[in-house]
Amino acid sequence: MGEEAKTAVLMKEERIFEPPKELVDQSNVKAWMDKKGFKTEKELREWCSTNYEEFWGEMANDFADWEKPFDKVLDWQPPYAKWFVGGKINMTYNCLDRHVKTWRRNKVAYIAVGEPVDDVRLFTYWDLYRETNKLANALKGMGVEKGDRVSIYLPMIPELSIAMLACAKIGAIHSVVFSGFSAKAYGDRVKDGESKVSITCDGFWRRGKTVPLKAQADEGIADAPSILKQIVYKRTGQDVPWNEGVDVWWHDAVEGQSATCDPVFVDSEDRLYILYTSGTTGKPKGIEHAQGGYCVGPPQTLSWVFDLKEDDVWWCAADIGWVTGHSYIVYAPLSLGATGVMYEGSPDFPDIGRWWKIIQDYGVTVLYTSPTAIRMFMRAGGEWPAKYDLSSLRLLGSVGEPINPEAWIWYRKNIGADKLQIMDTWWQTETGTFINSPLPITPLKPGSCAFALPGYSCEVMDEKGTVVPFGEGGNVVITEPYPSMLRAFYKDPDRYMKTYWEYYWENHPGYYLAGDKARRDDDGYFFIQGRMDDVLNVAGHRIGNSEVESACVSFPDVAEAACIGKPDEVKGEVIIAFCALNAGVVGTDELKTAIYKHVGKELSKIAAPSEIHFVADVPKTRSGKIMRRIIKAKAMGKDPGDTSTLANPEAVDAIPTIV
Ligand code: PRX
């Protein structure tokens, strides 16, 4: 049991954005409510979450095709859950085979936009099906069998999806590593997972130049004895080093392979993938996800939250190297038979209008992105999206970190024509699907991820496992299992127990500690305050870093902010803010005073930074998370450790040492 879990509540959001009637009336979730006779959203959420076994049993049959029906919805022996026990299923069958038997055979599955302008490839379901089968057959020929691991190190090209689907088709477990990670990061993950095959490419496009990947993959697998073969996709045509006997070109591997491949129907609990996520310390954790749960949770949440329809053009602008891409670029949209955009390159190539041009060119209807991306676009200015026709959009989304109300409002106004609803989805690599999120029927509050979705149970609790009253903050705790939840840490049951379950085990075995802090307002709306280990403690007030950062960013000249706590004899900690300013703004002492006053007014005097430093950029991970631990180490004159996995390692060097 930990130290006191409660957090102070400083920020109050009063604005409410009601969903337009047309959105509500045509929504997927409303249709289900009407069918079931639910009158209100509250009633819907409560019934589904209370009767979650019955609910998920129904969803499992609505959203997935089972080779053999399950006998039992759930077997829950905390901390291990088994879903859809006795069922046999295949994820790729659900994503491809079942669609090619219908009119969707020639429906576009992916609009694959390469970074070079005009490099666009359309993949129908039939194309994906055939390419996946060929690769699956090639993998089989290399000796890959059910349960074997395959490491995938590819950029944002459709071949990455194909590689994942090929693994799942034959019951092999993929382990995708983000292509921006280093050779060492790749190698560590290949070795931990003991993969038989590595799949990579020669290189990819980034800001108009080719970035080599093959040499890095080689370095990663150099001392990985489990690797039998490496498949290399030719993307850029650049020269690559070649290891005879190990390397095989993708086009050679699939040459002559049959375009049909029988799916290996696996037990519902057989693993679909491992995805490594970094913990606060040490070695990355290999999160394991199961086939059966994944055939249900991702498509169900995408259908209800983003309301996907047959004619939507969905764009989840994440990278498949993260869970967001696994669930919402690959498995959920394909399972629903949707059309999705996939973009290879940088948002500022050839200029910062690229995303808006993609939306215009392909008539994107639903856009899902991150607060970091939104703040970057804010910084560039509303004149960029204004140059393009974004009128095809009908719904927006956000994920990855708390979205500060300032960015939320900008997003709605500049991208959403001042009328589109924003689904702020809170979830994790571990959860596989959204947990807390608005629905198209939900009145929104900027910066809030609303409530636990139907079928999910999430609370804000103190350190004893008691729900804190509305209006107060504490730990985010998931109290019941759900189909897409993580099943284990690869080869590390002790750490699995310790990281998530131990905290509440004594009184509440089965309560999952998410590691985030949140508060709920008087109406029960969740406002995520950031990671537990990021919480500041100023004069006995526990304050979420993200709340202070959000207040800094709501000052007009500030583009991004990172806040850390500096030990202080009197107050325990004082707040140090590092602010990146909008283009052209000069950092002066007057400006510091103005920001200081602004934060004091927005939040409270105790939350006003005692020092403000102007920096060119804030250090972030590739998935856009502010790396406060690294910033803090640098500022405190300590070794910031390995910064190679950051999006902008040079930003760390620019952090001044302040002690
Ligand atoms: O702190 C929360 C933050 O991202 C963490 C999960 O990170 P990861 O496993 O990399 O998955 C990111 C994509 C799902 C959470 O513990 N986070 C994610 N979404 C939100 C968020 N914080 C606030 N609001 C969100 N919508």
Side-chain angles (χ1 to χ4, degrees), residues 11 13 15 403-411 446-447 527 550 554:
M11 207 179 263
E13 180 56 60
R15 290 167 288 193
I403 177 163
N404 42 305
E406 196 68 15
W408 196 100
I409 297 285
W410 187 92
Y411 190 24
F527 288 81
S550 181
S554 70

Side-chain angles (χ1 to χ4, degrees), residues 475-476 503 513-517 530-536 542:
N475 294 336
V476 178
Y503 191 96
L513 180 73
D516 281 355
K517 293 277 182 188
R531 297 291 299 169
M532 276 170 77
D533 40 23
D534 280 343
V535 169
L536 300 160
R542 295 175 72 77

